Structure formats: structure tokens, C-alpha cells
């Protein structure tokens, strides 16, 4: 464990920086007798680590995603650098923080002309493909083949853009995305080249619309809200100003599918919900209605209020959210089976992650954005039979910033000097080596939906310092060992005076290291 006296040690900082430079300058080249590995990078959208059974929270079962952990490594402390969809994907592609790659929020354009890891792998002999959700406007660059969802995409009968041609495909988006990925592997891949396949699912992004066969998957399971579901946000004014509460802000119709035909259930986004429903064909609507109409009728008959309504909304949210994940898990199983059955498993790196974490009732919330653990932290599982020991686990502080450098390292390709990440390869091999002692985080999207103020901060092994700005000037400090739910802001507590000083110093050092002149 990193202590308060070691995470700011100047000698260790210099040593760590020297190691980071060394990693970039000296990628491990593939052996002449061994071809470069293939890379299958699986990214879902808003998949909370709590909702992967390998992490042990008991909410659901994800046997196929768990296979990656059983056959490889599970990361207990993987994080993002900006917990919002499009910026997270830009960081993954570029290996650079948001303020460097320019995609600081969901609204600013992404510059596809800049270098990215797919372009770099292409230059080193890889065939590259992008399938599913990327949420970065413009024509993807660096890919020999792409077939992507426009924007957020739709759950039922979605549109896809295949190499510039848009078309609507009947079916359920998660299954379609998997089918496209498998088809590329089977019929479009150049078998003489190593490949990078980015296989990205829309699910379980809001509005959590399950596949027909999983509509009732969790209807008989009772879910207990987290202990801080009724958080009062004492000492945390930014958190208090949120607009992402399950009780206060989750729509009955838009989010929870209470689209009654009489129109008596009010929701400002009712029209949007109707548009999603109308995309379904008659068979899909029949399955949908058979499931949701009895729930709507019972809701109207019971008319829950107060604590009963808060519990009802939480359970409906969990039932739909977790049901969408079952189809994601199925797709992972299909891809893993394909690799094994076609002799590709041994020389293919498979990575499963999400573009960020998600709140499943913690602090009373859904969505993400805050630097608090549940949205800052993301699932990460990696398998590669040639190097990664089955069933291994890492508690190192890693970040989505590291993916590009990791891909390049495994490929034996040079890691550009301006790449800000570190290759995870020494960690996955089990080598004991110097590693970062702190993570840097930024969030810029305010004013915007959910009213999360702009903030930035540093997380070490044990402590976290956050500064909220743009409409407020507020600091928060957490002892994650004693307060893992982040309920007590210790910033003004004089018992933490030395820790506070050291965290400020480390934060300032990270700003310089990552060339952040904004904060």
C-alpha cells in the first residue's frame, strides 16, 4: 500500500518518470519465430464493474466475461481519465488525456486527422476493424473496415454505417454488433496479417432496453439498494446539486418503460420513449407488450409513493439494466468460442472493459461523470494464453490512457513519445516493476445534462483529492481505506493537514506531467 509519506517522494517520482520514458522508447518486439498477437478489444457502454460476476458483488451472472478473468487477469483498480462516453473513447484511441486530444466532452468535435493507435498498428502491418458504437462524429480513420452505430445508436432495428453507407438492420443491436464482428473475422479478415478488432457494444447504456428473451430475466429477484442510496450529501455541495437521482430524475416512461396507452403516466420524455417503441416491428412489440403491460397495470393500481416508489424505481432500473448485460455476455461467449474453434485463441489478446463505470444506486444515482469510485472505476479483464497467467489479479492503478501503449507494446511497434499512457504488459506478465503511484482525472461537461460540475483531481493508493470549479470553488478529500463509499469529506479536517498538502503537491506534479494548463 502506498503511504502518505511515499507517494510524494521526489526520488520515486523521478524513478517512475524515467521508467515511463523507458517503456515508450523500448517496446518489446515480437519474437521472429512468433507472429505478432491479434488483439480483440471489447468495450461496452456504461457497464459497472459491480455488474460483472467475476468482481463478486452478486448482482448477476456473466459467465462468458468471467471466462476472460479465469483464463487471464482481472484488474481490481482500473479507472478512466474522464468519465463520459465520447471523451473516454478518444482517450483509448489516442493514448492522450482529453485536454491533449481535444475531445473534452460529448459536444466538442473529435479530430480524426490526429494520430491514433489504429493508424499506428496499420503502419506496422496490422489489419484493423471497428464494429459497433464509437460515438465520435466524423469518418473513422485508421480502420480498414468499419461498421458503426451513428451517435448513441438504437436498441431495436438500429441503423449502422458500413464504410460510409448507412442502412437499417432488423434485430437487436447487441446481437447485430456481435454478428458483424464474427462476420468480419470469418469473411473479411486477411488471414496473412495480425489484426486489431474493436468490438464495441451499445449496451448497457440508457435506456436499458433488454432483448426479448431476457425481458423477464431478473423480474423475480429482489434487489437491496446500496447503504448510501438515501445519501444526504453533507459536506459535498457539488454532489447535492446533481440531477441523476433514481428517485428524483429517472423517468417513469423514458427510463422505466411505463408507456401506458392511455398516456396517464407523465414524463417529459414520453415522445422519445414512443419513438423508440415505434422502431420495433409487430413481433418485437408483442414480446415487449406482453412483458411490460402487466407491470404498468400493477404500477397504476398500486400507485407507490415515497419510500415505496424509491424502492420500486430502483428494482425496475436494476432489472432492465442487468437484463441488457446478458446479451452482451452472450456475445462475448460467441467471440471467445470463435477464436478457440478457429485456432486463434493462443495468439490473440482479448480485453473486456467499459468506457467508464456506472452508478447502480450508490449515492442514490444512475449515470456516471463524478470522480467518485463507481463511475471513475471501470471493469478490466485481459487474457493472452502466451503471457498472462490464468486466474491472476492486479491491484495496480491503471487507466484507459494505457490501452494504446499496451496494444503497441504487444505488437512490437514503437510507442510515440507524446503517448501519455503506460503499457500494461509488465503487469500482465507478473513482472515486478516500478509503476505509477497516482492517477489524474478531469471532467468538463457542465452546464449539461445531470448537472455535474466540472472537476479534476488525483487518486493515490489510499486517498483522493477533488476540486470542483465552474460555478463553485470546492475541494474534497477522501480516505478510501476508512471511507470507501466516499461519504465524509475530510478536506477541512486538520487531522488530514499533512495528507492534504501532499495531495496538492502530487496534483500539481501531475498537471505538469500531463501538460494540463487548463486547471
Amino acid at each position: 500500500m502506498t503511504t502518505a509519506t511515499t507517494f510524494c517522494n521526489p526520488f520515486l517520482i523521478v524513478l517512475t518518470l524515467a521508467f515511463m520514458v523507458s517503456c515508450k522508447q523500448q517496446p518489446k518486439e515480437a519474437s521472429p519465430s512468433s507472429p505478432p498477437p491479434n488483439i480483440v478489444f471489447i468495450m461496452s457502454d456504461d457497464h459497472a464493474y459491480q455488474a460483472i460476476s467475476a468482481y463478486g458483488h452478486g448482482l448477476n451472472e456473466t459467465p462468458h466475461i468471467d471466462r476472460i478473468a479465469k483464463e487471464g487477469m482481472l484488474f481490481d483498480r482500473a479507472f478512466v481519465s474522464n468519465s463520459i462516453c465520447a471523451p473516454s473513447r478518444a482517450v483509448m484511441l489516442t493514448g492522450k488525456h482529453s485536454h491533449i486530444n481535444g475531445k473534452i466532452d460529448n459536444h466538442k468535435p473529435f479530430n480524426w486527422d490526429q494520430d491514433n493507435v489504429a493508424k499506428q498498428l496499420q503502419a506496422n502491418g496490422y489489419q484493423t476493424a471497428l464494429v459497433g458504437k464509437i460515438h465520435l462524429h466524423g469518418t473513422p480513420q485508421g480502420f480498414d473496415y468499419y461498421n458503426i452505430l451513428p451517435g448513441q445508436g438504437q436498441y431495436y432495428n438500429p441503423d449502422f454505417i458500413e464504410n460510409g453507407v448507412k442502412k437499417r438492420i432488423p434485430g437487436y443491436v447487441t446481437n447485430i454488433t456481435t454478428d458483424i464482428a464474427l462476420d468480419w473475422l470469418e469473411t473479411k479478415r486477411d488471414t496473412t496479417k495480425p489484426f486489431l478488432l474493436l468490438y464495441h457494444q451499445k449496451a448497457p447504456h440508457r435506456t436499458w432496453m433488454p432483448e426479448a428473451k431476457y425481458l423477464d430475466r431478473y423480474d423475480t429477484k429482489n434487489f437491496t439498494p446500496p447503504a448510501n442510496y438515501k445519501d444526504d450529501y453533507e459536506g459535498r455541495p457539488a454532489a447535492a446539486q446533481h440531477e441523476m437521482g433514481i428517485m428524483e430524475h429517472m423517468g417513469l416512461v423514458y427510463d422505466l418503460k411505463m408507456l401506458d396507452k392511455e398516456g396517464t403516466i407523465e414524463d417529459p420524455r414520453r415522445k422519445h420513449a414512443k419513438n423508440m417503441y415505434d422502431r420495433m416491428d409487430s413481433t418485437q412489440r408483442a414480446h415487449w407488450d406482453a412483458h411490460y403491460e402487466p407491470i404498468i397495470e400493477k404500477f397504476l393500481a398500486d400507485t407507490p409513493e415515497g419510500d415505496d416508489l424509491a424502492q420500486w424505481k430502483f428494482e425496475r432500473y436494476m432489472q432492465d439494466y442487468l437484463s441488457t448485460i446478458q446479451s452482451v455476455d452472450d456475445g462475448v461467449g460467441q467471440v471467445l468460442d470463435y477464436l478457440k474453434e478457429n485456432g486463434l485463441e493462443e495468439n490473440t489478446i482479448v480485453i473486456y472493459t467499459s468506457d467508464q463505470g456506472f452508478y447502480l444506486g450508490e449515492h442514490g444515482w444512475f449515470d456516471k461523470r463524478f470522480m467518485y469510485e463507481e463511475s471513475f472505476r471501470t471493469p478490466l479483464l485481459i487474457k493472452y494464453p502466451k503471457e498472462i497467467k490464468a486466474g491472476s489479479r492486479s491491484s495496480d492503478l491503471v487507466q484507459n490512457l494505457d490501452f494504446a501503449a499496451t496494444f503497441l507494446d504487444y505488437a512490437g511497434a514503437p510507442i510515440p513519445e507524446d503517448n501519455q499512457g503506460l503499457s500494461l504488459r509488465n503487469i500482465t506478465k507478473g513482472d515486478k516493476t516500478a509503476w505509477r503511484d497516482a492517477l489524474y482525472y478531469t471532467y468538463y461537461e457542465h452546464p449539461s445534462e445531470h448537472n455535474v460540475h466540472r472537476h479534476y483531481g488525483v487518486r493515490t493508493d489510499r486517498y483522493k483529492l477533488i476540486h470542483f470549479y465552474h460555478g463553485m470553488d470546492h475541494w474534497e478529500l477522501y480516505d478510501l481505506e476508512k471511507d470507501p463509499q466516499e461519504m465524509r469529506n475530510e478536506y477541512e479536517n486538520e487531522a488530514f493537514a499533512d495528507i492534504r498538502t501532499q495531495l496538492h503537491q502530487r496534483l500539481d506534479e501531475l498537471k505538469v506531467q500531463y501538460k494540463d494548463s487548463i486547471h
Side-chain angles (χ1 to χ4, degrees), residues 7 80 89 148 318 353 372 382 403 432 444 502:
F7 66 66
V80 296
R89 294 160 193 272
I148 60 173
M318 294 301 294
T353 190
Y372 305 131
I382 305 178
F403 290 137
K432 297 296 182 182
Y444 303 88
Q502 293 164 4

Side-chain angles (χ1 to χ4, degrees), residues 251-390:
L252 287 170
V253 177
Y254 180 69
D255 291 310
L256 300 177
K257 327 300 187 299
M258 299 294 100
L259 185 64
D260 62 312
K261 290 181 170 56
E262 297 75 21
T264 57
I265 300 176
E266 296 182 359
D267 189 324
R269 292 188 172 184
R270 185 182 184 91
K271 182 178 179 181
H272 297 288
K274 182 67 163 57
N275 290 339
M276 291 186 290
Y277 175 83
D278 288 344
R279 287 186 75 93
M280 300 180 190
D281 62 31
S282 58
T283 300
Q284 293 164 343
R285 280 197 294 270
H287 286 296
W288 192 266
D289 291 345
H291 176 72
Y292 283 105
E293 283 184 353
I295 298 173
I296 294 170
E297 290 172 6
K298 188 174 189 311
F299 177 81
L300 289 171
D302 294 345
T303 59
E305 298 178 349
D307 289 346
D308 290 339
L309 180 59
Q311 175 67 26
W312 182 90
K313 293 183 81 170
F314 173 73
E315 292 210 356
R316 283 296 331 140
Y317 167 43
M318 294 301 294
Q319 288 159 357
D320 284 346
Y321 177 90
L322 296 175
S323 294
T324 65
I325 290 171
Q326 293 308 131
S327 299
V328 175
D329 189 65
D330 288 347
V332 171
Q334 289 178 261
V335 170
L336 293 177
D337 289 346
Y338 179 89
L339 296 173
K340 185 173 184 178
E341 292 164 5
N342 289 273
L344 295 169
E345 180 180 46
E346 189 70 16
N347 197 44
T348 299
I349 300 163
V350 178
I351 300 170
Y352 185 88
T353 190
S354 174
D355 53 355
Q356 62 262 321
F358 213 65
Y359 294 104
L360 302 184
E362 298 87 2
H363 303 286
W365 294 338
F366 66 100
D367 207 69
K368 56 263 184 178
R369 302 168 195 260
F370 280 105
M371 195 186 169
Y372 305 131
E373 290 291 280
E374 290 82 9
S375 64
F376 182 29
R377 183 177 165 192
T378 190
L380 179 60
L381 311 89
I382 305 178
K383 80 181 201 75
Y384 181 36
K386 285 186 176 180
E387 286 194 9
I388 302 176
K389 182 181 178 182

Side-chain angles (χ1 to χ4, degrees), residues 452-506:
V452 176
H453 284 263
R454 299 183 190 189
H455 58 288
Y456 61 97
V458 56
R459 187 205 196 277
T460 68
D461 182 70
R462 177 170 174 173
Y463 301 103
K464 183 183 294 182
L465 179 69
I466 310 173
H467 182 218
F468 291 92
Y469 65 102
H470 197 265
M472 64 169 55
D473 180 9
H474 175 71
W475 290 90
E476 296 180 4
L477 189 159
Y478 297 98
D479 182 341
L480 299 170
E481 182 178 287
K482 294 183 178 179
D483 179 25
Q485 282 75 45
E486 296 166 291
M487 298 290 287
R488 298 189 304 275
N489 176 13
E490 307 284 9
Y491 190 79
E492 301 295 342
N493 185 345
E494 284 309 302
F496 285 81
D498 290 343
I499 299 296
R500 183 174 63 231
T501 297
Q502 293 164 4
L503 287 169
H504 272 288
Q505 178 185 337
R506 194 69 186 98

Side-chain angles (χ1 to χ4, degrees), residues 51-67:
I52 292 178
S53 46
Y55 280 97
H57 291 264
L59 292 175
N60 60 336
E61 295 296 326
T62 52
H64 302 299
I65 297 173
D66 291 359
R67 281 169 57 187

Side-chain angles (χ1 to χ4, degrees), residues 210-249:
E211 181 184 357
K213 70 178 181 180
Y214 289 130
L215 283 169
D216 60 355
R217 173 80 177 193
Y218 292 99
D219 280 7
T220 60
K221 182 169 181 176
N222 294 321
F223 292 96
T224 302
N228 59 358
Y229 186 52
K230 296 180 181 179
D231 192 348
D232 62 5
Y233 315 112
E234 181 182 356
R236 292 159 287 145
Q241 293 179 29
H242 75 88
E243 294 178 1
M244 50 198 280
I246 293 173
M247 179 59 185
E248 311 96 307
H249 306 109

